[in-house]
Amino acid sequence: MIPVFDGHNDFLQRMVAAGPGRERLWLQGDGTGHLDLPRMKAGGFAGGFFAIWTPSPPGPDDALAAMLKKNPPFALDLPPEIPSDQALPHALAQAGQLMAMARSGTLDIGLTAADLRASIAAGRIAAILHIEGAEPIPDLDALHVWHAMGLRSLGPVWSRPTAYGHGVPFAFPSSPDTGPGLTDLGRELVKECNQLRIMLDLSHLNEKGFDDVARLSDAPLVASHSCAHAVAPSSRNLTDRQLQVIAESRGLVGLNFAVGFLHPEGRRDPMHGFEIMLRHLDHLLAHLGEDGVALGSDFDGADMPADLADAAALQNLVQAMLEHGYGRELVEKIAWKNWLNLLERTWGA
């Protein structure tokens, strides 16, 4: 079994929603969603980025869910910015659940690449504390507090605007060039993350914001869970120009498993087989090289392909890559080694 290190999941939101049964949800599973410890072990899931994400107030998310079930073309106006004081309780609850998972002895929260490697070697899940959408971080002092709590990866936006920048709408077909770039505070955030060696995640950020980060950051550029715009022209996917900028920084893109971002026509229908995923991987490899492509599932945050229904099925994708003609060395790079090497370049060893 080839291990998999994953660029993005939304399991912590499920943990918070599970209430008193949350420990059982993690350790035994309940048959729902995409992740739990038994299915991770069955699929070779060695670790990954566990996202803290703030849901929108009731209403907009319901409209979003309904819109995303429609066939393209579609475009949805995103809900407005969420104030930090509203986002913080959600974020702390999710961070607390990751720490509770660590207390069970089955998962470690890694602060260095060496920590992650040690956890994988010991057979524990190697977790990275990530925030998707910086609403819980009202200022740079708060960023330092989160860093002290273990934060090592940050996406300035989840599509909604924040005090730091602007995301892309859920739209198909659409360019990611949809609005203004980073705010003044967003530009300060980039510099402070560089100082703290917090990885900046460009997934969900619009094109002008992407360019601002590329100009300001001294770290490799990373999109943790994105696909190729040339294959599927969703606003969430990366253009060839963006891929070239990432490649020039020795950065990385984690392939998103969400069917709506993979499908060339943007459909959310169940997707059988791996031909479309392999088409995206081929395109990413052609632009980023063998060291710049990884996986970023979006488990528990999106609709998955039929043959990759949850973490237990990860080896189906591994086998499909091998059968596609990727040698074992390349498959191991895509599956886990590239993420660990990227984090060493970003955080230091």
Side-chain angles (χ1 to χ4, degrees):
M1 186 182 294
I2 292 178
V4 173
F5 197 91
D6 180 40
H8 186 90
N9 75 69
D10 290 293
F11 179 70
L12 298 179
Q13 179 68 13
R14 277 184 64 215
M15 282 286 284
V16 170
R22 57 177 63 104
E23 183 177 7
R24 179 184 175 87
L25 173 63
W26 167 240
L27 295 176
Q28 300 179 34
D30 65 359
T32 67
H34 305 138
L35 293 176
D36 51 52
L37 185 60
R39 284 185 285 180
M40 289 176 174
K41 294 292 188 181
F45 186 109
F49 293 71
F50 284 72
I52 289 170
W53 173 76
T54 302
S56 297
D61 279 352
D62 298 335
L64 174 62
M67 177 66 74
L68 293 183
K69 292 184 183 301
K70 296 181 179 180
N71 285 327
F74 61 79
L76 183 67
D77 291 333
L78 288 161
E81 181 179 339
I82 294 178
S84 293
D85 61 347
Q86 295 180 24
L88 188 58
H90 292 281
L92 290 176
Q94 291 174 53
Q97 290 312 305
L98 186 61
M99 293 173 185
M101 290 155 66
R103 290 196 299 273
S104 74
T106 59
L107 173 147
D108 299 326
I109 302 172
L111 303 182
T112 67
D115 288 346
L116 301 175
R117 293 186 188 278
S119 298
I120 292 170
R124 294 187 295 274
I125 301 298
I128 297 167
L129 179 59
H130 167 75
I131 292 180
E132 181 182 39
E135 291 97 341
I137 305 175
D139 53 41
L140 299 185
D141 288 337
L143 178 69
H144 281 258
V145 173
W146 276 102
H147 180 264
M149 290 169 56
L151 181 71
R152 292 298 181 270
S153 176
L154 173 65
V157 300
W158 171 82
S159 287
R160 289 180 303 245
T162 69
Y164 304 99
H166 301 267
V168 292
F170 289 91
F172 191 100
S174 176
S175 162
D177 185 10
T178 59
L182 297 181
T183 64
D184 289 344
L185 187 58
R187 288 186 283 273
E188 293 179 21
L189 179 75
V190 172
K191 295 175 184 177
E192 203 68 17
C193 283
N194 282 176
Q195 289 293 319
L196 292 170
R197 311 319 296 171
I198 295 172
M199 190 193 91
L200 285 161
D201 182 10
L202 301 172
S203 289
H204 285 282
L205 193 62
N206 69 4
E207 190 166 11
K208 287 185 174 64
F210 173 103
D211 289 342
D212 286 340
V213 175
R215 186 178 65 256
L216 294 167
S217 179
D218 63 11
L221 299 175
V222 178
S224 69
H225 58 305
S226 294
C227 300
H229 193 272
V231 178
S234 167
S235 57
R236 270 281 283 112
N237 292 340
L238 297 165
T239 67
D240 287 355
R241 185 193 70 82
Q242 290 175 302
L243 295 178
Q244 182 61 36
V245 173
I246 292 171
E248 290 170 358
S249 77
R250 297 182 65 221
L252 177 148
V253 174
L255 177 71
N256 194 325
F257 299 175
V259 293
F261 303 141
L262 288 166
H263 200 288
E265 296 176 6
R267 297 204 304 266
R268 262 68 182 173
D269 304 334
M271 196 171 69
H272 294 272
F274 293 94
E275 186 273 333
I276 293 174
M277 295 187 79
L278 292 165
R279 200 186 311 174
H280 280 273
L281 285 171
D282 285 343
H283 193 88
L284 294 175
L285 286 165
H287 287 78
L288 299 167
E290 293 190 357
D291 297 329
V293 181
L295 303 177
S297 70
D298 216 351
F299 279 145
D300 283 325
D303 294 328
M304 295 290 112
D307 297 315
L308 194 51
D310 56 31
L314 281 167
Q315 295 302 306
N316 292 346
L317 174 58
V318 169
Q319 186 61 34
M321 289 191 285
L322 291 167
E323 293 176 357
H324 187 60
Y326 297 168
R328 185 178 180 89
E329 181 180 357
L330 175 56
V331 172
E332 289 183 344
K333 283 185 174 185
I334 294 170
W336 70 279
K337 289 183 177 179
N338 283 346
W339 266 124
L340 273 293
N341 291 336
L342 179 281
L343 292 170
E344 287 180 346
R345 295 197 298 275
T346 303
W347 296 347

